[in-house]
Amino acid sequence: MGPLRWLLLSTLTCAAAFLTWLWGALAGGLDVAETCTLYRGQRFDGAYRSRHLDESTRWFPLHNKCNATYDLVPAWINPTVAFLALATAAGLLMTAWTTGTALRALRTRRGDRASGLFTGGDR
């Protein structure tokens, strides 16, 4: 695969990681207490949430807990975001690698043509 395909792949995996993260960040909606009790049938523990406020405000890993045992963020979100972020980084590394390889090959071809002009190209 060439550099442009690797770049496209890393762009797509980055977009997928962002959309997956957004899905998890918005889990619970605007009113967490209402979502827990009405939509998920879970007991909302305000004291637990206030003691663990930093968990629900972190960028990663995502958590939005109703109580000590129930998280509104689906369990598959954090591993998927991590995998897609690694895939994005690998795609960017491969973009750089294939670009460097292509540039070295181009320089080598240009060097061969230039050296042929000055080292007996007129025999």
Side-chain angles (χ1 to χ4, degrees), residues 17 28 46 86 90 95 109 116:
L86 287 173
T95 300
R109 275 185 272 149

PDB file of all heavy atoms in Angstrom, residues 17 28 46 86 90 95 109 116:
ATOM      1  N   ALA A  17     -12.614   6.266  15.897  1.00  0.00           N
ATOM      2  CA  ALA A  17     -12.280   6.397  17.323  1.00  0.00           C
ATOM      3  C   ALA A  17     -13.023   7.575  17.934  1.00  0.00           C
ATOM      4  O   ALA A  17     -13.559   7.465  19.046  1.00  0.00           O
ATOM      5  CB  ALA A  17     -10.772   6.574  17.497  1.00  0.00           C
ATOM      6  N   GLY A  28     -25.771   8.378  28.835  1.00  0.00           N
ATOM      7  CA  GLY A  28     -26.349   8.925  30.057  1.00  0.00           C
ATOM      8  C   GLY A  28     -27.149  10.183  29.796  1.00  0.00           C
ATOM      9  O   GLY A  28     -27.972  10.575  30.612  1.00  0.00           O
ATOM     10  N   GLY A  46     -26.503   9.422  44.330  1.00  0.00           N
ATOM     11  CA  GLY A  46     -25.886  10.744  44.231  1.00  0.00           C
ATOM     12  C   GLY A  46     -24.647  10.886  45.092  1.00  0.00           C
ATOM     13  O   GLY A  46     -23.684  11.554  44.715  1.00  0.00           O
ATOM     14  N   LEU A  86      -4.718   3.158  18.608  1.00  0.00           N
ATOM     15  CA  LEU A  86      -3.485   2.458  18.231  1.00  0.00           C
ATOM     16  C   LEU A  86      -3.431   2.207  16.726  1.00  0.00           C
ATOM     17  O   LEU A  86      -2.370   2.336  16.105  1.00  0.00           O
ATOM     18  CB  LEU A  86      -3.362   1.145  18.994  1.00  0.00           C
ATOM     19  CG  LEU A  86      -3.018   1.265  20.468  1.00  0.00           C
ATOM     20  CD1 LEU A  86      -3.090  -0.098  21.147  1.00  0.00           C
ATOM     21  CD2 LEU A  86      -1.650   1.883  20.650  1.00  0.00           C
ATOM     22  N   ALA A  90      -0.599   3.517  14.199  1.00  0.00           N
ATOM     23  CA  ALA A  90       0.106   2.598  13.297  1.00  0.00           C
ATOM     24  C   ALA A  90      -0.039   3.050  11.848  1.00  0.00           C
ATOM     25  O   ALA A  90       0.926   2.981  11.069  1.00  0.00           O
ATOM     26  CB  ALA A  90      -0.436   1.181  13.469  1.00  0.00           C
ATOM     27  N   THR A  95       2.340   5.527   7.125  1.00  0.00           N
ATOM     28  CA  THR A  95       2.344   6.631   6.159  1.00  0.00           C
ATOM     29  C   THR A  95       3.733   7.241   6.078  1.00  0.00           C
ATOM     30  O   THR A  95       4.273   7.461   4.987  1.00  0.00           O
ATOM     31  CB  THR A  95       1.317   7.712   6.554  1.00  0.00           C
ATOM     32  OG1 THR A  95       0.017   7.139   6.591  1.00  0.00           O
ATOM     33  CG2 THR A  95       1.329   8.872   5.579  1.00  0.00           C
ATOM     34  N   ARG A 109      16.702   6.791  -7.985  1.00  0.00           N
ATOM     35  CA  ARG A 109      16.493   6.810  -9.436  1.00  0.00           C
ATOM     36  C   ARG A 109      17.042   8.077 -10.060  1.00  0.00           C
ATOM     37  O   ARG A 109      17.657   8.049 -11.102  1.00  0.00           O
ATOM     38  CB  ARG A 109      15.013   6.655  -9.765  1.00  0.00           C
ATOM     39  CG  ARG A 109      14.594   5.201  -9.798  1.00  0.00           C
ATOM     40  CD  ARG A 109      13.181   5.053 -10.240  1.00  0.00           C
ATOM     41  NE  ARG A 109      12.379   5.148  -9.017  1.00  0.00           N
ATOM     42  CZ  ARG A 109      11.160   5.625  -8.940  1.00  0.00           C
ATOM     43  NH1 ARG A 109      10.552   6.077  -9.999  1.00  0.00           N
ATOM     44  NH2 ARG A 109      10.515   5.651  -7.795  1.00  0.00           N
ATOM     45  N   GLY A 116      24.721   8.751 -14.601  1.00  0.00           N
ATOM     46  CA  GLY A 116      24.905   8.243 -15.943  1.00  0.00           C
ATOM     47  C   GLY A 116      25.269   9.307 -16.931  1.00  0.00           C
ATOM     48  O   GLY A 116      25.967   9.066 -17.912  1.00  0.00           O
TER      49      GLY A 116
END
